[in-house]
Amino acid sequence: MTPRFHFQVRIRERYKLLGLLGLGVLLAAVLIRQVGVGMEEQILSGGNDFFAALAQGEAEKEGLFVRLLWGRAWLPVTWIVLSFTAFGIVSLYLFWIYLGFAMTTALWVSMAFGGWRGPFYFWGLLFPQYLAYAPAFLLIYVGCMQWNRYYRDRRIPIKGIQTSLPQLRLFLLRIFLGLMLYLLGIYMESQWNPWILQKFFIKT
């Protein structure tokens, strides 16, 4: 009976995450319906400006890695810091709402800009960096969630945490590997993704 019980718990956790993801999609759909009407011209203008900037060449990529690093660093840092507090699980669950909202909004903007080519623009904006981002998110997410549950159950003061704890070592290992993949994703987004967009999405 014990294995079956654990299996059911995992299924319920997945349903919970899917429900949070769906909530983000629903919130994005409501927002798009409320403010999306009449924004096509702004999206078209912004998209044209974006691709025109890419068409200028390699000079536009100077400093892009640092700018993306500052813009992307808040998410894993927030997870890691809050995993030592009572709000760790809440922050992790809120990410799934944010992910559903952001992905739906990005897809809608791509469709509004590119029409039937919108899905190709959408995947073009995500490739290849999400090949690194996806496992990075997973490692950091699982590491922070399991450590937060252990930390809350034991109620260990921060000063009393011992580096010899297997749970802490596993947490740090997952965080280290996740951050390395995250940095690789930022590098891909700053160096490889602009080249792909220039090669396949900018009309000569």
Side-chain angles (χ1 to χ4, degrees), residues 106-124:
L107 179 59
W108 173 73
V109 171
S110 300
M111 295 290 290
F113 175 75
W116 66 269
R117 293 184 296 271
F120 298 100
Y121 285 115
F122 176 74
W123 290 113

Side-chain angles (χ1 to χ4, degrees), residues 8-108:
Q8 291 173 351
V9 169
R10 293 193 191 100
I11 291 295
R12 283 198 292 270
E13 185 70 19
R14 291 172 186 173
Y15 283 148
K16 183 189 296 182
L17 297 182
L18 288 175
L20 293 171
L21 188 68
L23 178 59
V25 173
L26 180 61
L27 290 174
V30 171
L31 178 66
I32 291 169
R33 183 170 182 178
Q34 293 295 325
V35 303
V37 178
M39 292 187 63
E40 288 81 4
E41 292 184 3
Q42 298 178 15
I43 293 172
L44 183 61
S45 176
N48 288 330
D49 293 342
F50 172 76
F51 284 109
L54 280 176
Q56 293 179 7
E58 296 295 322
E60 293 296 327
K61 294 197 296 186
E62 293 183 5
L64 182 58
F65 176 82
V66 176
R67 294 197 300 272
L68 287 175
L69 180 62
W70 283 108
R72 302 285 186 269
W74 67 270
L75 182 60
V77 170
T78 301
W79 284 359
I80 295 169
V81 171
L82 291 182
S83 64
F84 290 86
T85 70
F87 302 99
I89 297 295
V90 175
S91 69
L92 294 172
Y93 284 159
L94 286 176
F95 165 74
W96 292 91
I97 301 177
Y98 168 77
L99 180 63
F101 182 89
M103 288 295 185
T104 303
T105 304
L107 179 59
W108 173 73

Side-chain angles (χ1 to χ4, degrees), residues 111-168:
M111 295 290 290
F113 175 75
W116 66 269
R117 293 184 296 271
F120 298 100
Y121 285 115
F122 176 74
W123 290 113
L125 291 170
L126 300 182
F127 184 82
Q129 61 268 24
Y130 269 80
L131 295 176
Y133 281 152
F137 283 140
L138 182 61
L139 279 170
I140 300 173
Y141 180 88
V142 172
C144 289
M145 174 167 285
Q146 292 190 354
W147 169 252
N148 183 256
R149 286 175 173 169
Y150 176 83
Y151 181 77
R152 287 187 299 113
D153 291 342
R154 302 301 189 281
R155 297 184 180 181
I156 308 171
I158 294 179
K159 293 182 179 180
I161 298 176
Q162 299 178 359
T163 56
S164 59
L165 280 174
Q167 293 82 358
L168 180 61

